[in-house]
Amino acid sequence: MDEKFEPKITAFVCNWCTYAGADLTGTSRIKYQSNVRVLRVPCTGRIDYMMVLKALHKGADGVIVSGCHPNDCHYTSGNYHARRRWMVFKKMMEVMGVDMRRITFSWVSAAEGARWAQLVNEVTDQVRALGPYAEFRQIIGAGIE
Amino acid sequence: MEAVNQRAKELLEKGEIKAVLGYAKGTGHVRRPHFARKAGQVDQLVLDAACLQNLAVYVTKHEVKKLGKVAVIALPATQRAILQLMAERQLRDGELVILAVDGEAVKELDSAAALEEHLALKAQGLDAKDKALLAELDAMSREQRWVYWQNELSRCMKCYACRNSCPMCYCGTCTMDCNRPQWVPVASHGIGNLEYHAVRTMHLAGRCVECGECGRACPVGIPVHLLTFAAEESIHEQFGQRAGAKAKLDYALSTFKTDDKESFIR
Amino acid sequence: MSRIGVFTCHCGENIGATVDCVKVAEMCKDIPGVVHSVEYKYMCSDPGQRQMQEAIKEHQLDGVVVAACSPRMHEPTFRRAAGDAGINPYMCEMANLREHCSWVHEKGDATTQKAADLIRVLVEKVKHNEPLHPIKVPVTRTAMVIGGGVGGIQVALDIANGGHKVVLVEKSPSIGGHMSQLSETFPTLDCSQCILTPRMVEAAQHPNITLMTYSEVEKVDGFIGNFKVTVRKKARKLDEKLCTGCGLCIQKCPNKKISDEFNEGLGTRTAIYVPFPQAVPNKPVIDLQNCTYYKTGKCKVCEKMCPTNAIRFDQEDELVTLDIGAIVLATGFKLMKTDAFPEYGYGKHKDIIDGMQFERLASASGPTSGVMKRPSDGKEPETVVFIACSGSRDRAKGVPYCSKICCMYTAKHAMLYKHKVHSGKAYVFYMDIRAAGKDYDEFVRRAIEEDEVKYIRGRVSKIYEEDGKLIVMGADTLMGGEPVVIKADMVVLATAVQSNDRSEELAQTLHVSYDSYGFFAEAHPKLRPVETNTAGIFLAGACQAPRDIPETVAQASGAAAKVVGLFSNDELTREPIVAVVNRQAAPVYSTCVGCFLCQGACPYQAIEQEEIKARSGEVIMTLARINPGLCQGCGTCVATCRTKAIDLQGFSNEQIYAELMTL
Amino acid sequence: MANTYNLSHESLNSLFGALRKDGRRIMAPVEAGGRTELAEVETPAQVASDYLQTILSAKEVAFPKVERLLSYTIAPGQVDLKDTEPKAVPTVLFGVRPCEAKAFGALDAVFNWDYRDKFFNARIEQLAVIGLSCTKADEACFCTSVGGGPADATGSDILLTPKEGGYLAEVCTEKGAAILNLAPDLFKPGNGVDKAAITAKVEQAFDQPALTTKLPGIFESEVWTDQALRCIGCGACAFVCPTCVCFDIQEEADPKKGERLRCWDSCGFHLFTLHASGHNPREVQGARWRQRVYHKFSYYPERYDMLGCVGCGKCTRACPVDMNLKEHLIEAAGVKA
């Protein structure tokens, strides 16, 4: 394995909780590892599972999907719908043999700045330990003559 | 069968329907879907253990809708698919005559409510063979499953037989055909196949009536039905919902419970 | 090809100290489509904004990325500035270099690289941005207030005095609510009815207020500014126009033994009745469950007696549909019943009563005309025990929250009792005394110090009856948990405040959210306390959480101000971040297949049906349509739609896909 | 130029060895999970022993389901375009059926009609076909109705016909002769075998010249719509077909790089002719089914003076709803032989 492997982490976060939470991490000057790239969407309900698959396709070694805690959704129930979708998506990915240690679902509220830093660090460390998602990379370009 | 054909003939003769959709003898021992458009053609219809296709795939096609009212000889899986199509507003009450066949018995139904009542009497479940296949898959390690599916899916050439044979894949413009943006690559290469089958499964999760038509249709023998079965079974386990059972839409992915299990969420 | 400008902000040292902004600006010049990339000390300052505006004009930019702080901070600022410079404001995006980068990472190449990456993502997004235009929605300037208690009355009066029409809907036959049942109010001990009834009359007589009593909301369609509300006017069995309120029918009604709701079951009423003498409107209503005519088909005494022939036995409920611009929920609360407590005898002892029953016993207009008599035998109670926190703050059997008003009214009750029975002994069992409010703590102190109410900090574990006495067994935790036994004549439970009956049903009808106890949820606990998450629906009073009268009234005026503010415009302007269903030329029309699976996923019921018709009028297809007035832009439908027929403006599939492709 | 030889079963091992020694990849039908598929083999033992046909046709060795045409990278201010050189591995296709061998001619007609396709030709140049006559056929087969036969040598560089103890080997082309020359000792002189007696009997089912003549006149016939009522519009028939050549060009790109791919396509798809305006000249499945028939039996003869169908019957076998091409042709045109 490449000694200097630095994982690519893509995060999909909702505007009202996790994005705001990550803002608070900044305002609180809590440091975390810089591997993560955040994509802002209004609500976890907006997060299509294709986004997660595309992130992996484009070389992410780990993906974070995060939004408001249950009951806290800015849109009342977007996160509940998202949660169901993740439950089914997770099951599907498991059946297909995708390594679910690389996809992290979480709730981070607008007040949980420290938690965001901790989450990013944990995921980054975990994925760094797992190494590049070679298995997935192998199928990119496979089957083209 | 005679009773069904008799009734079908009657309906055709009286002009109440324009065609009967059933099964006929095909190449070799194969049975094929068949439209009898005249009373005289009804005798070509057969019904035996070799009749497998889910005929509900036809009832949403505009070519078929254009024929006028059609009677469908509906085995249980076809019945479930029609009910789900009704719940998804693709068919109206009275648009079809459903000649529901279960073993020897035949019932004539024409509404979602009647279908729901009729189907409620029957237990739905996978057959032993598919259960065993799912169990085998389940018993594999994660890595083995990955290798298994990559091996199977490497044969996929995106002929879309699985999609087109599925009664629930009635969308005029399939997501595979959407190219702004092209979420799923058109090419049937490694990632393209993985994404296609992941999306197909997700789109059928909560809507799959478990007829297995997709797996039967695959010309290269990929057991794609195991994917939708696994999704559907997991939905039934987790949420208690089943596709093709209710007249009123009860879609697991546009409903939720505030206490849905979330142990996997950090 | 796009012409995009990137403006990287140092934010003084905030970004500049960690991220090499000069290098970032230089790197951004290489992004295809970027024609202008500069950095500046403070982009949000006036010169910073001007610099951006000039660049937009000079370089004919069609999109802008400002790489600075969080978009949650300054997105409106820069969008406005971009708009003023002549491009569509929604062609401006922000890359969060401060909160998400410079403040959370150490100085170094990786951090600078990340800053450039963040910008690159947004540049690709902007390339796919579409000009958007704020959505204008017309406003019907009529408000509906649901609930005619003190909160609802206050809202109605404030809006009406602001010059707008109000429909006040009350489910019971009279407005007034719980406050009309109270004897005196804390902390002033002024007579509740004396201060409330003038307000009730004012509401009834206000030219801008339409009272709909004995009415309930059945259905709410539409959206902010444009609700269609269907109200069921329950049949009073009476022509209100003819009735003069003389009361003859009530006097003559032969069925007089009906438990009286207004007196909390401590008195009786007739089958045709007004809830209380000061009721507004002062028109009787026939109680169908108890009316002899409806039970046996014979009687009609009231009809015979009525001097104006106002009785209408054949009257039916009436459904009225109204155009409403804003709705205020003020549906109040209910008290937990005494039968909820096994240790206090499941409510079978007549002399264990709840706070509201005590109010009626103490009230001059109550069943005892304000004379202290215990319910079982009418004797004057010599010892009364008050138990605070009955069901409140009780995770095991009651509700976990504090009911907020009980500490105060228990003190009030004890005082009122002592004022009426000078020789009597009053004990209060309490957990904590929560008397935060103007003159509140002083009020409690007065009860303890001047009126000699004995406060015991502890819980009551058991009450049983013995020789006509209620034996109250408790503990005094300030005396080391020493057991306390009091032989009482009457026990008053300060039972928990709960959400009103059928509040969840009402919330579902109105599509507002509610908590697990059935209280309606505010849009933000601090910053938007009188709004719900459904635009155009507001909250006042105890339907949101336990509240006392001053808080309810204050919140009511707050909600009214929101409504009046809303009504101050001819049309509403809303952010165009809404979902849309695509439309295409015939014969495709749309990629929507009309499965309507999205409907269930929409938290706002914003997804409607639209029929595509041929010239002949024949319906070709039924498609989904998103009502832009209702849609809040969460995008849950977008992710649900299989055919990608729905997209979310501002966060479209094209935009997100483009962002992903840069990763 | 056909010269006939005898090739014993045993000598196949040596032949395979010689081919591999010559740097050639051997592709042959193998048994895999109950299916017969084309795969690379090293020894004759790996070759399926008893098979009718593979599910997919052999066309993928010259016309793969996805192939890269070009790729590029985008650097600031410039695009670096890279032509793809076709990966043409010297290949021997062993044991394909005569129908499929013949089908390369139909592919060639398209790929070298007005434009010489670099990718196809590079692969074909490196390809040698060792055909194997059919000793059995099924109800889907109709090679004899389209000018072929179970022992037709067209398209094979060497055609093997099974016989007692081995094969009759007809060396038909120079490519075939080159193979012979790799191991000339293995090919024993021999002849005089009555191939017709050994190989499968495939009755001529219809009169193809009559069909081709009739088709232009029945374009508007309802029969196509009627037949296609059952068709579900998937691409199974086209993808298994040895002569279907339609492809789609796809570009997969991100801001940094991209590539252009050629992928199989099918005229049976609704999307195939869908215009950007939403108009679809082949609006109904009947029109698409008709196109498939006409392309093979009317347009191909017109343009290339050959048929676009070799009667292999793969489409019929692969079809999820049993669209039987032979049967439907006869029904539509009334051309039963």
Side-chain angles (χ1 to χ4, degrees):
Chain A
M1 195 194 298
D2 186 355
E3 268 181 299
K4 286 192 184 141
F5 168 66
E6 274 305 324
K8 262 173 89 170
I9 313 281
T10 304
F12 300 97
V13 306
C14 82
N15 180 48
W16 305 97
C17 288
T18 306
Y19 195 92
D23 276 0
L24 181 62
T25 320
T27 340
S28 320
R29 309 297 202 279
I30 303 169
K31 300 279 186 262
Y32 56 86
Q33 300 175 60
S34 65
N35 304 54
V36 71
R37 301 290 181 268
V38 168
L39 260 69
R40 180 170 71 121
V41 291
C43 176
T44 43
R46 173 69 185 88
I47 301 170
D48 192 323
Y49 43 81
M50 272 316 296
M51 296 182 196
V52 177
L53 287 174
K54 276 292 129 181
L56 293 175
H57 181 179
K58 295 316 287 183
D61 302 292
V63 176
I64 296 172
V65 180
S66 181
C68 307
H69 287 271
N71 254 329
D72 290 353
C73 179
H74 179 78
Y75 304 101
T76 323
S77 57
N79 58 349
Y80 286 127
H81 287 288
R83 183 170 65 185
R84 272 229 166 168
R85 201 181 297 141
W86 301 345
M87 289 166 84
V88 179
F89 178 63
K90 179 174 164 282
K91 169 76 188 173
M92 270 332 301
M93 291 292 98
E94 281 164 357
V95 170
M96 293 181 102
V98 171
D99 187 351
M100 286 308 288
R101 291 173 299 179
R102 295 181 182 273
I103 305 176
T104 304
F105 301 97
S106 72
W107 307 130
V108 174
S109 80
E112 296 174 320
R115 185 180 157 91
W116 171 250
Q118 189 195 345
L119 177 75
V120 171
N121 281 335
E122 280 174 10
V123 169
T124 309
D125 290 342
Q126 185 185 345
V127 175
R128 187 182 291 112
L130 286 171
Y133 196 2
E135 216 175 33
F136 206 90
R137 303 261 170 89
Q138 275 162 14
I139 68 166
I140 297 160
I144 305 177
E145 285 290 321
Chain B
M1 188 61 211
E2 266 166 41
V4 188
N5 281 6
Q6 194 50 45
R7 179 63 188 142
K9 220 179 257 180
E10 245 172 67
L11 289 166
L12 270 175
E13 274 165 358
K14 277 197 267 179
E16 281 179 34
I17 54 166
K18 297 291 179 209
V20 184
L21 170 55
Y23 302 91
K25 285 199 162 125
T27 312
H29 299 293
V30 169
R31 298 288 177 264
R32 62 165 65 143
H34 183 67
F35 289 85
R37 316 231 330 239
K38 298 197 184 76
Q41 296 169 342
V42 170
D43 293 333
Q44 295 166 357
L45 296 177
V46 294
L47 196 57
D48 56 28
C51 297
L52 296 171
Q53 280 106 349
N54 191 329
L55 298 181
V57 72
Y58 292 107
V59 298
T60 51
K61 294 200 181 303
H62 64 271
E63 289 93 335
V64 175
K65 285 202 170 193
K66 233 168 53 184
L67 293 178
K69 194 168 176 174
V70 170
V72 185
I73 293 173
L75 294 167
T78 306
Q79 296 165 21
R80 292 199 299 274
I82 291 175
L83 181 55
Q84 183 67 19
L85 287 169
M86 286 176 150
E88 295 186 12
R89 304 200 214 181
Q90 302 303 308
L91 288 172
R92 292 183 312 274
D93 279 358
E95 203 173 337
L96 292 176
V97 176
I98 301 148
L99 298 170
V101 184
D102 301 285
E104 293 295 301
V106 184
K107 244 195 238 172
E108 193 172 324
L109 310 166
D110 78 337
S111 71
L115 255 182
E116 178 181 329
E117 198 188 317
H118 175 67
L119 282 165
L121 305 172
K122 285 188 281 284
Q124 184 191 341
L126 303 180
D127 64 28
K129 192 171 143 234
D130 289 322
K131 268 191 192 152
L133 284 170
L134 281 179
E136 236 174 77
L137 209 52
D138 206 39
M140 291 181 197
S141 70
R142 200 273 305 162
E143 288 81 359
Q144 285 171 327
R145 274 197 299 274
W146 174 259
V147 171
Y148 172 82
W149 280 114
Q150 285 314 312
N151 184 34
E152 290 293 323
L153 295 181
S154 69
R155 293 198 302 281
C156 176
M157 49 199 178
K158 292 210 187 139
C159 70
Y160 297 127
C162 46
R163 176 188 74 180
N164 288 27
S165 64
C166 173
M168 302 321 298
C169 280
Y170 52 75
C171 296
T173 308
C174 173
T175 199
M176 299 300 140
D177 303 343
C178 297
N179 56 7
R180 296 190 62 192
Q182 185 84 51
W183 280 113
V184 183
V186 170
S188 53
H189 46 40
I191 186 77
N193 287 346
L194 176 89
E195 290 184 348
Y196 164 51
H197 289 284
V199 170
R200 196 187 77 86
T201 310
M202 284 302 288
H203 282 190
L204 284 160
R207 304 173 58 244
C208 170
V209 297
E210 299 184 327
C211 64
E213 197 55 52
C214 47
R216 272 195 296 280
C218 181
V220 290
I222 307 170
V224 285
H225 61 296
L226 295 183
L227 293 172
T228 53
F229 283 12
E232 197 56 38
E233 287 300 302
S234 128
I235 280 176
H236 182 61
E237 247 168 62
Q238 298 189 79
F239 315 124
Q241 284 153 301
R242 257 207 204 289
K246 291 274 174 351
K248 195 168 167 286
L249 185 68
D250 182 29
Y251 178 43
L253 287 166
S254 62
T255 47
F256 64 85
K257 287 192 186 123
T258 50
D259 58 352
D260 279 338
K261 276 204 197 70
E262 59 163 58
S263 51
F264 66 97
I265 300 174
R266 284 206 221 172
Chain C
M1 193 66 185
S2 318
R3 296 185 61 81
I4 292 163
V6 177
F7 301 87
T8 303
C9 178
H10 293 245
C11 195
E13 289 282 282
N14 281 308
I15 297 171
T18 321
V19 171
D20 184 344
C21 294
V22 177
K23 191 173 166 196
V24 166
E26 216 35 54
M27 287 162 90
C28 290
K29 284 182 182 160
D30 287 341
I31 305 173
V34 172
V35 294
H36 183 69
S37 174
V38 291
E39 29 74 41
Y40 186 68
K41 206 83 180 158
Y42 288 106
M43 277 312 302
C44 61
S45 69
D46 224 32
Q49 290 188 44
R50 258 206 319 278
Q51 201 183 73
M52 179 182 93
Q53 291 174 321
E54 279 156 17
I56 289 174
K57 288 176 190 152
E58 190 190 331
H59 300 282
Q60 288 124 47
L61 303 181
D62 53 16
V64 166
V65 175
V66 181
C69 51
S70 172
R72 293 173 54 80
M73 177 97 166
H74 269 318
E75 195 176 75
T77 313
F78 289 111
R79 284 195 167 162
R80 204 178 310 120
D84 290 346
I87 62 171
N88 184 286
Y90 295 93
M91 299 306 286
C92 169
E93 294 283 348
M94 286 190 74
N96 191 343
L97 258 45
R98 194 178 70 179
E99 282 84 343
H100 284 198
C101 191
S102 69
W103 273 352
V104 290
H105 304 316
E106 306 293 345
K107 183 177 179 165
D109 287 346
T111 304
T112 299
Q113 183 59 48
K114 177 170 175 178
D117 284 355
L118 293 178
I119 297 173
R120 192 168 286 126
V121 168
L122 271 303
V123 167
E124 292 308 320
K125 183 179 185 193
V126 169
K127 284 185 191 172
H128 293 85
N129 278 22
E130 300 270 352
L132 300 177
H133 302 282
I135 296 163
K136 306 265 189 201
V137 186
V139 179
T140 304
R141 289 196 182 98
T142 303
M144 175 173 282
V145 179
I146 305 175
V150 63
I153 292 169
Q154 184 69 35
V155 177
L157 285 171
D158 284 354
I159 298 173
N161 288 335
H164 303 294
K165 298 281 179 203
V166 183
V167 180
L168 178 57
V169 181
E170 166 59 45
K171 71 176 173 195
S172 67
S174 168
I175 59 171
H178 285 310
M179 191 176 166
S180 64
Q181 292 177 277
L182 305 184
S183 53
E184 273 78 27
T185 57
F186 62 78
T188 47
L189 291 188
D190 44 359
C191 154
S192 184
Q193 288 205 347
C194 309
I195 54 178
L196 179 68
T197 46
R199 289 295 181 91
M200 290 161 62
V201 174
E202 191 186 343
Q205 293 177 347
H206 201 294
N208 279 344
I209 298 179
T210 309
L211 281 191
M212 293 182 80
T213 50
Y214 208 44
S215 299
E216 291 188 55
V217 171
E218 286 253 319
K219 193 165 155 236
V220 178
D221 287 324
F223 52 94
I224 181 169
N226 299 275
F227 294 107
K228 274 215 182 311
V229 185
T230 307
V231 179
R232 175 179 293 274
K233 285 187 74 175
K234 292 178 281 188
R236 281 178 184 261
K237 305 292 178 186
L238 181 88
D239 186 331
E240 286 178 70
K241 286 195 195 78
L242 295 178
C243 173
T244 60
C246 70
L248 208 56
C249 52
I250 300 170
Q251 285 170 31
K252 299 294 178 188
C253 178
N255 194 349
K256 296 187 195 304
K257 295 280 178 204
I258 302 159
S259 173
D260 182 359
E261 299 85 354
F262 185 77
N263 281 324
E264 296 292 332
L266 297 177
T268 58
R269 62 164 171 83
T270 47
I272 184 164
Y273 71 107
V274 287
F276 55 103
Q278 299 82 2
V280 173
N282 195 358
K283 311 272 162 126
V285 49
I286 296 179
D287 168 3
L288 301 188
Q289 260 74 53
N290 290 301
C291 171
T292 313
Y293 170 68
Y294 285 100
K295 288 204 292 197
T296 66
K298 284 192 201 107
C299 182
K300 291 198 176 183
V301 169
C302 49
E303 190 183 51
K304 284 170 206 127
M305 298 311 300
C306 180
T308 60
N309 291 322
I311 304 291
R312 295 282 180 276
F313 284 108
D314 58 353
Q315 194 178 53
E316 301 274 349
D317 288 3
E318 192 187 342
L319 290 175
V320 188
T321 301
L322 302 163
D323 287 314
I324 297 293
I327 299 171
V328 182
L329 282 165
T331 52
F333 67 99
K334 70 169 183 201
L335 282 184
M336 191 183 270
K337 295 290 173 207
T338 51
D339 56 11
F341 304 92
E343 70 275 31
Y344 306 155
Y346 289 110
K348 64 177 183 281
H349 304 299
K350 280 188 172 172
D351 295 327
I352 300 181
I353 60 174
D354 66 27
M356 196 54 85
Q357 288 174 315
F358 186 87
E359 295 284 349
R360 295 315 300 151
L361 284 184
S363 171
S365 69
T368 59
S369 302
V371 179
M372 258 317 135
K373 291 177 182 172
R374 65 178 195 173
S376 61
D377 52 12
K379 273 194 211 149
E380 184 179 80
E382 287 162 15
T383 305
V384 179
V385 170
F386 297 89
I387 305 176
C389 288
S390 296
S392 305
R393 304 175 68 197
D394 180 350
R395 283 170 199 279
K397 298 193 301 290
V399 295
Y401 55 83
C402 165
S403 291
K404 199 166 188 184
I405 57 174
C406 330
C407 284
M408 293 307 296
Y409 79 61
T410 297
K412 177 187 77 178
H413 287 172
M415 278 162 99
L416 289 177
Y417 167 70
K418 291 284 286 182
H419 294 176
K420 286 177 194 285
V421 184
H422 300 295
S423 61
K425 286 200 270 300
Y427 297 90
V428 174
F429 282 92
Y430 71 101
M431 283 161 71
D432 298 289
I433 298 172
R434 296 183 167 178
K438 191 173 179 181
D439 292 333
Y440 282 15
D441 199 55
E442 295 89 325
F443 183 76
V444 177
R445 300 298 335 157
R446 216 166 88 208
I448 297 168
E449 288 159 12
E450 291 177 23
D451 292 315
E452 295 176 348
V453 177
K454 177 115 176 70
Y455 268 67
I456 304 167
R457 189 182 181 281
R459 304 287 288 159
V460 172
S461 58
K462 179 87 189 154
I463 305 174
Y464 61 95
E465 205 175 343
E466 196 178 85
D467 302 333
K469 290 276 186 187
L470 292 166
I471 313 300
V472 178
M473 302 178 67
D476 187 337
T477 56
L478 297 182
M479 301 290 284
E482 189 179 301
V484 181
V485 178
I486 297 167
K487 291 187 175 179
D489 299 297
M490 189 165 82
V491 174
V492 183
L493 304 179
T495 55
V497 171
Q498 290 180 298
S499 61
N500 226 328
D501 291 331
R502 294 168 63 198
S503 61
E504 293 180 9
E505 207 178 298
L506 183 64
Q508 286 159 7
T509 305
L510 275 90
H511 318 305
V512 300
S513 41
Y514 49 94
D515 65 20
S516 46
Y517 310 106
F519 290 111
F520 303 136
E522 62 281 355
H524 189 283
K526 289 168 195 69
L527 302 177
R528 296 170 69 197
V530 301
E531 291 157 80
T532 66
N533 256 333
T534 304
I537 302 184
F538 305 91
L539 299 174
C543 60
Q544 183 194 6
R547 297 248 184 278
D548 62 16
I549 295 168
E551 283 175 332
T552 296
V553 173
Q555 202 188 4
S557 290
K562 285 280 170 195
V563 173
V564 173
L566 172 65
F567 287 179
S568 64
N569 300 300
D570 289 331
E571 25 180 47
L572 291 168
T573 305
R574 302 200 44 235
E575 277 270 293
I577 309 300
V578 292
V580 285
V581 179
N582 65 26
R583 283 291 180 273
Q584 299 178 2
V588 179
Y589 300 104
S590 169
T591 56
C592 171
V593 269
C595 67
F596 291 96
L597 301 196
C598 51
Q599 261 183 343
C602 177
Y604 302 99
Q605 277 69 38
I607 302 175
E608 303 166 346
Q609 292 183 39
E610 184 179 22
E611 291 179 338
I612 306 278
K613 288 181 178 159
R615 282 208 187 121
S616 62
E618 182 206 359
V619 177
I620 302 170
M621 20 173 46
T622 307
L623 306 177
R625 196 191 93 89
I626 315 266
N627 184 323
L630 283 173
C631 176
Q632 302 290 317
C634 68
T636 306
C637 57
V638 180
T640 306
C641 180
R642 303 192 301 282
T643 61
K644 306 282 167 220
I646 316 181
D647 213 341
L648 181 62
Q649 295 188 157
F651 295 92
S652 70
N653 278 313
E654 287 262 45
Q655 288 171 307
I656 291 173
Y657 186 82
E659 290 181 77
L660 278 166
M661 285 300 111
T662 62
L663 295 172
Chain D
M1 68 171 287
N3 294 315
T4 51
Y5 302 89
N6 282 326
L7 195 62
S8 71
H9 280 301
E10 298 73 33
S11 60
L12 271 190
N13 254 328
S14 313
L15 180 63
F16 273 42
L19 288 168
R20 285 168 49 74
K21 204 173 150 202
D22 192 41
R24 303 197 197 203
R25 168 179 75 147
I26 304 169
M27 300 288 288
V30 298
E31 290 300 325
R35 302 173 304 273
T36 310
E37 293 174 353
L38 210 55
E40 186 173 352
V41 297
E42 292 175 2
T43 67
Q46 290 170 281
V47 180
S49 56
D50 180 38
Y51 62 95
L52 188 70
Q53 281 191 23
T54 50
I55 296 170
L56 292 189
S57 78
K59 78 176 169 193
E60 57 178 332
V61 297
F63 173 37
K65 64 177 181 178
V66 186
E67 67 186 317
R68 187 180 293 107
L69 301 181
L70 59 87
S71 55
Y72 54 85
T73 51
I74 303 168
Q78 68 173 70
V79 176
D80 293 321
L81 196 64
K82 213 174 90 196
D83 265 340
T84 303
E85 284 313 311
K87 205 169 40 175
V89 186
T91 300
V92 173
L93 204 48
F94 178 86
V96 296
R97 296 304 182 189
C99 48
E100 288 193 58
K102 188 183 171 195
F104 285 105
L107 297 178
D108 182 76
V110 173
F111 282 118
N112 289 310
W113 175 48
D114 51 353
Y115 170 80
R116 293 186 56 78
D117 188 273
K118 170 173 102 171
F119 297 87
F120 176 79
N121 287 326
R123 293 193 170 100
I124 284 289
E125 270 164 31
Q126 297 291 343
L127 181 70
V129 179
I130 301 179
L132 182 60
S133 300
C134 303
T135 50
K136 55 184 182 181
D138 70 2
E139 287 186 51
C141 291
F142 59 97
C143 52
T144 51
S145 305
V146 289
D152 184 5
T154 318
S156 290
D157 296 304
I158 297 175
L159 178 68
L160 303 181
T161 304
K163 63 169 200 170
E164 194 65 42
Y167 304 94
L168 174 74
E170 296 169 73
V171 178
C172 314
T173 65
E174 277 172 18
K175 276 186 186 173
I179 291 175
L180 181 146
N181 288 334
L182 289 175
D185 301 348
L186 303 177
F187 291 82
K188 310 286 186 214
N191 55 32
V193 179
D194 179 9
K195 285 206 293 182
I198 304 169
T199 55
K201 306 287 170 285
V202 181
E203 293 296 330
Q204 189 188 338
F206 58 88
D207 178 353
Q208 176 269 319
L211 170 71
T212 301
T213 311
K214 257 185 135 172
L215 282 177
I218 55 170
F219 188 82
E220 302 291 351
S221 165
E222 281 295 306
V223 72
W224 309 115
T225 323
D226 285 355
Q227 289 177 351
L229 260 184
R230 190 168 84 247
C231 175
I232 53 173
C234 73
C237 50
F239 288 4
V240 299
C241 176
T243 66
C244 270
V245 289
C246 287
F247 57 77
D248 183 14
I249 302 286
Q250 282 290 321
E251 188 131 327
E252 293 182 4
D254 63 34
K256 291 190 193 111
K257 61 183 190 312
E259 56 188 354
R260 190 167 292 176
L261 305 175
R262 173 156 77 184
C263 322
W264 288 352
D265 204 346
S266 164
C267 60
F269 292 146
H270 144 267
L271 203 68
F272 191 76
T273 48
L274 181 65
H275 294 187
S277 67
H279 171 65
N280 195 338
R282 294 186 204 136
E283 182 63 36
V284 294
Q285 199 58 35
R288 292 169 217 140
W289 164 245
R290 180 180 63 194
Q291 165 64 23
R292 181 169 163 79
V293 170
Y294 275 62
H295 190 221
K296 295 192 177 306
F297 293 96
S298 187
Y299 310 150
Y300 240 87
E302 268 176 42
R303 179 168 293 172
Y304 310 116
D305 200 21
M306 65 163 75
L307 285 176
C309 174
V310 293
C312 64
K314 284 187 197 293
C315 54
T316 304
R317 280 177 224 111
C319 180
V321 291
D322 192 38
M323 295 292 286
N324 184 314
L325 184 59
K326 171 175 76 178
E327 174 196 330
H328 287 325
L329 289 173
I330 294 167
E331 179 197 45
V335 287
K336 195 165 172 56

